[in-house]
Amino acid sequence: MTGEALRILILVAQFAFVGLLYLVLFAFARSLLHDLRSAERTQEAAREGIGRLTVLESPEDEPPVGRSIALGPINSIGRNVNSTIFVEDDFASATHAMLTFRGRAWFIEDQGSTNGTFVNGHRIDRPVALSYGDEVSVGRVRMRLEH
Amino acid sequence: MRLAWRGTELRLLIPLVILVPLGFAVTHIAVSNALDPGPLGLAIAYVALVLAAHLALVMLGHRGDQLLLPLAATIGGVGLVMLNRLPQDLTGMTLFGVQIGMAGTQLAWFALGLAAMVAIAVFFRDDGALRHYKYTWAAAGAVLLVITFLFGAEVNGARLWLHFGPVGFQPGEAIKIVLVVFIAGYLAENRALLSDALRRIGPVKIPPLPYLLPMLAMFAIVMGIVVISKDLGTALLFYGIFLVMLFVATGRRSYVLVGLLLFLAGSFAAYQVFAHVRVRVDNWINPWADPTGSGYQTVQAIYAFGRGGLFGEGLGQGLPLISGHLPIPAIQTDFIFTAIAEELGLVGAFALLALMAALVFRGLRIAILARDDFSSLLAVGLIASIGLQTLIIVAGNAKLIPLTGITFPFVSYGGSSLLASFVVLGLLLSISHRSAMETAAPMAEPSSGQAS
C-alpha cells in the first residue's frame, strides 16, 4: 500500500474513533434526558398522589370556590404572590401558614400570622397533624384537605 | 438472588467493543507506518473485563444506576488507548520476574478496580459500618497520614508514597474516601445545628463559634497536608470536597464565603512561607521566566495544546520526542489530558470532559434520590471528589490555575488512583441500589434497554 493511501486510511480511522466517541456521548445524553423526563413524570404523579386542597369558601374569589389545588410536599399559604397557595384575602398575612407532608402525614403550622390559622374551627398554636377531610381556615378562606 | 436485567448498561457498553480496539489499531498503524493493527490483546482484555463486571452485576441482581459503569469504562478506555500509545518503558511493574509494560500494568489495576467495584456495589448493603464508626474512620485516615509522613518516600518534592515490597501505594487516595465518609457522617448528624443558629455580624451571617470549629479543624488538616507532605493538589481537593459537602448539607452561602476567605488567607500565607508553593505560583504566572528549568513542564504542555489545535495531530502522531524523550515529564499521570488534547484535539478533549460531566451529573442524581441524609451527602462528596479532581488537574494542565499534581480519574496511569475511583463508583452503585430497592414500584424498575 502506498504511503498516500495509508495516510488517508489513518485519517479516516482517526475520525472514526472520534466520531464513535461522539456517538457514545450522544447515546449517554439521550439516556440522561430520558431519565430526567421519567423522573419528572414520577414526581408529578407523586405530587398528585399526596393530596389536594379544595376551596370551600373564599369571599374575594381568589382562589375561586370549588378549585382543587394539587399539593407538593411543602406548601406555603399566604397573601404573598409567591406562595404555593396564593390567598387574596384582607384577613390573611403575607406568609400565613405552612402545609407540609412529612413522612406519612400532613402537618400545618402557623407562620406567626396576625389573625391565626384554624383547623376545623380551632385556632392552632403549634404544628398540627391533619387528616384527609379536615378543614383549614386562613383569613376568611376555608379549604378542605382531600386525597 | 434474582437476576436484574441491565439493558441500558449493556447497550451503552457495546460501542466500547469497537472503540478501544480501534484506538489501539489506529495508534499502531500511525506509529509503525504500515497496515498492521498490532497486538490488540490488551484492548480486547479491557472490553472483556468491563463486560464481565456488567455480567456480574446482572447475575447478582444489582439494581443500581446503569450509566455509571459505561461512563467510567468509556473514559477509562480512552485513557488506556493513550497509555498504550505512550512509550511502555515510562513506568511499569515486574511481577514474578515478568516485565509488564505501562498499559499492561494499568489493565491489571483495572481488573482489580472493577472487582472491587462489583464487590462493594453488591455486598455493601448496610452503611452502618461507615455511619456509626465515622470517628474511627477519621482516626484511621489521620494515622495513615502520619505514617506516610514518617515512612513515606519523597517523589518530586511531595511525600505521598508508601512502599510494600514492589508495590507502591498512595495513601492519599484512601484518605480521600475516608474523609468523605467522615464529613458525611458528621454533617448528617449536625446539619440542623449548622444550618439554623446563625449570628449576624455586619453584612454577613456567621454561625456561632462551636459550629465553626469542625471547619477550622478541616482547614488545619489541609494546611497540615500542605506543610507536611507538600502535596498541594490533594490539599486543594480535600478542601474543595469539604466546602461542597458543607454547602449541600446546610444550604448556607456564608459557610462557603468564610471557607473561601480562609482559603485565600491560607494560600497567601503558604505563598509567603513555603518555597515549593511559590515555585508553583510563579510558574503559573509566567512559565517563560525559566522555560528550560522550573517552567519546562508547563511550557511544553502549552505547546502540546497548541499543536493539537481543534482536531488534534492524530492518535500516535503527536508528542514529538525531544532528544529521545517525550517532551512533557509525568505525561502518563498528571499530564495525560495534555497528551489526549494534543492527539485528539479540542474535539476529543471536549468529548472526554463531557463524559466526565455526565458522570458527575449522574452522581448528583444518585445523591438526590438517596433515601437518607448520610447516603445523600456521601454520594455528593464522592462524586465531588471525582469532579473536582478532574477540574483541578485539567485547569492545571491548561495553565488556568497553578499546576498541582493529582490524577485524572479513570484516565491517568496509577494503581492507587484507579482503585480509589472504582471504590467510589462501587459506593455510588450501592447507594443507588438501595434507593432503587426502597422506593415505590415505578422507580424500582429502572428503564430497560428498549425504553429510551
Side-chain angles (χ1 to χ4, degrees), chain A residues 6 9 14 17 22 30-31 35, chain B residues 33 35 314-315 347 362 452:
Chain A
L6 195 65
L9 176 78
Q14 176 76 40
F17 182 80
Y22 270 84
R30 263 183 49 154
S31 274
D35 258 27
Chain B
N33 209 18
L35 192 60
L315 277 173
V347 246
R362 213 54 194 175
S452 68

Side-chain angles (χ1 to χ4, degrees), chain B residues 354-439:
Chain B
L355 288 169
M356 209 40 136
L359 187 67
V360 171
F361 175 85
R362 213 54 194 175
L364 291 178
R365 183 173 178 275
I366 290 171
I368 289 170
L369 294 178
R371 287 295 306 240
D372 55 281
D373 283 357
F374 177 73
S375 304
S376 191
L377 283 169
L378 186 61
V380 166
L382 292 172
I383 202 62
S385 80
I386 300 264
L388 285 174
Q389 209 170 319
T390 311
L391 272 184
I392 292 171
I393 193 57
V394 168
N397 277 197
K399 205 176 91 75
L400 278 172
I401 61 170
L403 175 69
T404 55
I406 53 176
T407 55
F408 194 125
F410 300 109
V411 179
S412 285
Y413 173 82
S416 317
S417 158
L418 202 56
L419 197 56
S421 301
F422 275 109
V423 167
V424 165
L425 218 56
L427 286 169
L428 286 172
L429 278 173
S430 107
I431 293 170
S432 67
H433 174 81
R434 263 178 283 140
S435 38
M437 295 302 274
E438 287 169 24
T439 327

Side-chain angles (χ1 to χ4, degrees), chain B residues 1 33 55 136 210 242 251 255 293 300 309 320 323 329 334 336 369 393 427 436:
Chain B
M1 239 175 279
N33 209 18
L55 206 63
T136 316
F242 175 68
Y255 282 113
Q300 291 300 331
S323 58
D334 297 351
I336 190 82
L369 294 178
I393 193 57
L427 286 169

Side-chain angles (χ1 to χ4, degrees), chain A residues 51-125:
Chain A
R52 321 181 67 82
L53 265 187
T54 304
V55 183
L56 303 175
E57 204 176 306
S58 178
E60 305 285 339
D61 220 37
E62 180 56 52
V65 174
R67 172 179 288 180
S68 177
I69 305 157
L71 297 172
I74 299 170
N75 312 275
S76 57
I77 308 177
R79 221 171 48 187
N80 183 333
V81 287
N82 292 320
S83 306
T84 325
I85 297 157
F86 168 51
V87 173
E88 180 64 82
D89 189 279
D90 292 342
F91 292 83
S93 299
T95 313
H96 198 108
M98 264 325 223
L99 184 60
T100 50
F101 189 72
R102 298 179 205 175
R104 303 254 174 277
W106 280 104
F107 286 85
I108 188 155
E109 180 173 9
D110 192 81
Q111 299 292 299
S113 67
T114 316
N115 295 317
T117 303
F118 293 79
V119 171
N120 297 333
H122 298 287
R123 185 167 181 161
I124 60 169
D125 54 0

